[in-house]
Amino acid sequence: MASSSLSAGALLREVARLHVQLQRNCVAYCGGTTTTQCTVLTELGRCGPMTLAELSRRVGFDKSWTSRAVEHLAQDGLVEKIASPHDRRTIQISLSTPGEARLTHLNTTLNSLAAQTFEHIPAEQHEMVRSSLELLQHALSTLHSEATQEGLSEGGTTWTCD
């Protein structure tokens, strides 16, 4: 099916699918870090220290799945786990110095992928594509915030899809 005949929804899903697939291929060479671990590193780099429960919600993984990824990252020295001063049952997870270096390498790799992608787009359309991506990011962020405010987070079972 030609891309011009795809609906906006189908086109967005296909773009997301291809982009995620390319990212997974790139991060396979990210110092032996799995895709799941790269997701955890990225979220910690984006948002800073957080609890395991908060991290699980933010990345959309089951808490036990997130816990295993964090444990492997801690064993590799890429994250630090520190007991909360307010509640010793709660552990804050943060990037270590080597974790920050791994994240920098990961971001460089993924930024290179984006640059390679733009090489296949005519130069005179780069600004239009960038502007469209900013609009899309803002719209998706707004939709996500609205859903979260309504209690429909990633771990929830219901999203407004009408």
Side-chain angles (χ1 to χ4, degrees):
M1 178 183 291
S3 62
S4 62
S5 64
L6 294 176
S7 69
L11 184 58
L12 181 57
R13 288 189 303 277
E14 181 64 6
V15 166
R17 182 189 70 77
L18 289 169
H19 185 67
V20 167
Q21 191 173 48
L22 286 167
Q23 284 186 317
R24 284 185 178 146
N25 290 341
C26 282
V27 300
Y29 303 103
C30 180
T33 309
T34 67
T35 303
T36 301
Q37 292 169 343
C38 286
T39 301
V40 168
L41 291 173
T42 301
E43 196 62 31
L44 289 171
R46 180 182 301 119
C47 300
M50 65 184 79
T51 65
L52 181 64
E54 184 180 357
L55 179 60
S56 293
R57 280 191 302 274
R58 293 189 64 83
V59 298
F61 297 154
D62 178 80
K63 191 173 176 183
S64 63
W65 189 265
T66 306
S67 179
R68 283 191 293 276
V70 166
E71 192 55 40
H72 286 288
L73 290 168
Q75 288 173 5
D76 291 343
L78 300 174
V79 299
E80 297 172 340
K81 299 187 313 185
I82 301 168
S84 170
H86 308 294
D87 181 355
R88 294 194 314 170
R89 296 172 296 170
T90 304
I91 295 176
Q92 286 285 108
I93 302 161
S94 62
L95 290 176
S96 65
T97 301
E100 290 174 0
R102 179 73 57 90
L103 179 61
T104 297
H105 175 68
L106 172 64
N107 285 333
T108 299
T109 300
L110 295 177
N111 289 342
S112 175
L113 173 62
Q116 290 174 35
T117 301
F118 266 69
E119 289 175 8
H120 296 278
I121 298 170
E124 62 274 7
Q125 294 183 344
H126 285 191
E127 187 52 41
M128 179 193 64
V129 170
R130 180 170 172 66
S131 176
S132 296
L133 288 171
E134 287 173 351
L135 287 169
L136 182 59
Q137 185 274 333
H138 178 73
L140 289 170
S141 180
T142 300
L143 182 62
H144 183 268
S145 293
E146 290 171 354
T148 300
Q149 289 172 1
E150 295 174 12
L152 305 174
S153 65
E154 296 95 324
T157 57
T158 307
W159 283 88
T160 304
C161 296
D162 39 311

